[in-house]
Amino acid sequence: MTALLALLALLAPAPSPSLTPQAVVKLQVEALKTNDAPKPDAGIAQVWAFASPANKQQTGPLERFAQMVHDPMYAPMLNHRRVQFGPIKVIGDEARQVVILEPARGPAVGYLFILGRQPPGGPHAGCWMTDAVIRMPDEAAPKTITI
């Protein structure tokens, strides 16, 4: 079983300069939709893989990050039913995208994903990674996105 989990980890998407910011957001949102497959919190671990070094420094280690995602502020992202992706805005090395999720229970919730392209010289040079995910206030979050 351990060998299978190790193989699955190798097959999981990893940061790459070839991934667009839209692809990075989509990978993370899809991972959280099936958070407990193939093992508990596998989706959170996938999201952690795309957290920028600065993000990891503030939210890590992984165990602490997982607790944060299970908190009511972010829990609607776990095992959500539907998602709408807003248009992405890229300015230089920063990208922002609003994502509206329909959680398993309750009303739609909006999140703002903020990504940064990692600088040259580091282990993830040129990769888009998540600097922050901010829950939008319920009254400010659009319930649908028109593109």
Side-chain angles (χ1 to χ4, degrees), residues 16-29 50 85-97 99 113-117 126-130:
S16 167
S18 67
L19 292 173
T20 66
Q22 296 96 320
V24 171
V25 172
K26 187 174 182 182
L27 280 167
Q28 293 177 87
V29 170
F50 282 90
F85 296 93
I88 194 146
K89 293 185 181 181
V90 180
I91 300 174
D93 289 335
E94 183 179 276
R96 292 175 177 240
Q97 185 171 29
V99 175
F113 281 73
I114 303 172
L115 286 75
R117 186 177 2 234
C127 297
W128 288 98
M129 300 183 83
T130 303

Side-chain angles (χ1 to χ4, degrees), residues 63-141:
E63 294 76 20
R64 180 173 174 238
F65 181 77
Q67 286 177 336
M68 183 183 77
V69 177
H70 281 283
D71 183 86
M73 183 74 68
Y74 295 100
M77 300 178 90
L78 300 172
N79 307 305
H80 61 274
R81 292 188 297 186
R82 292 187 334 144
V83 62
Q84 287 184 290
F85 296 93
I88 194 146
K89 293 185 181 181
V90 180
I91 300 174
D93 289 335
E94 183 179 276
R96 292 175 177 240
Q97 185 171 29
V98 171
V99 175
I100 307 299
L101 299 172
E102 182 182 311
R105 291 182 209 89
V109 181
Y111 293 92
L112 173 63
F113 281 73
I114 303 172
L115 286 75
R117 186 177 2 234
Q118 300 307 294
H124 300 293
C127 297
W128 288 98
M129 300 183 83
T130 303
D131 289 326
V133 177
I134 302 168
R135 182 171 171 166
M136 300 172 70
D138 291 342
E139 63 277 2

Side-chain angles (χ1 to χ4, degrees), residues 7 48 128:
L7 178 61
W48 177 253
W128 288 98

